[in-house]
Amino acid sequence: MVRKIARRTEVNKARRSRVRTFVRKVEEAIAAGDKSAAQEALRSAQPELMRAVTKGVMHKNTSARKVSRLSARVKAMG
């Protein structure tokens, strides 16, 4: 049982890290002021965030909130 938990933890850690990477790419594009790159990064980050939900890494509302906030910030760009 302990080994199984350890294995799950590793997998989940990798998934969480992957999601953070995708979100960070959006953040960096927003900071750079590159709207087209930000939109592209957001388009690739959305399914990744939703996949984290189906895999049980993240709660559905957490994922939805992150997508919502990121898309609002991208939309607000000049």
Side-chain angles (χ1 to χ4, degrees), residues 55-75:
K55 300 297 182 186
V57 176
M58 199 180 274
H59 193 273
K60 186 163 66 172
N61 292 356
T62 306
S63 177
R65 185 182 68 239
K66 285 182 184 295
V67 168
S68 173
R69 287 179 182 174
L70 282 172
S71 56
R73 285 173 62 194
V74 169
K75 193 178 176 186

Side-chain angles (χ1 to χ4, degrees), residues 7-57:
R7 206 161 48 238
R8 282 282 108 213
T9 303
E10 282 300 307
V11 170
N12 288 342
K13 198 181 288 182
R15 287 198 180 114
R16 205 171 299 118
S17 170
R18 188 174 158 84
V19 168
R20 286 195 190 121
T21 303
F22 275 90
V23 171
R24 196 183 68 241
K25 282 178 185 166
V26 181
E27 298 275 359
E28 285 170 357
I30 291 169
D34 190 347
K35 189 166 186 174
S36 61
Q39 286 171 333
E40 199 58 47
L42 181 63
R43 247 193 302 274
S44 60
Q46 270 178 321
E48 208 55 50
L49 279 155
M50 294 307 168
R51 195 170 297 123
V53 173
T54 62
K55 300 297 182 186
V57 176

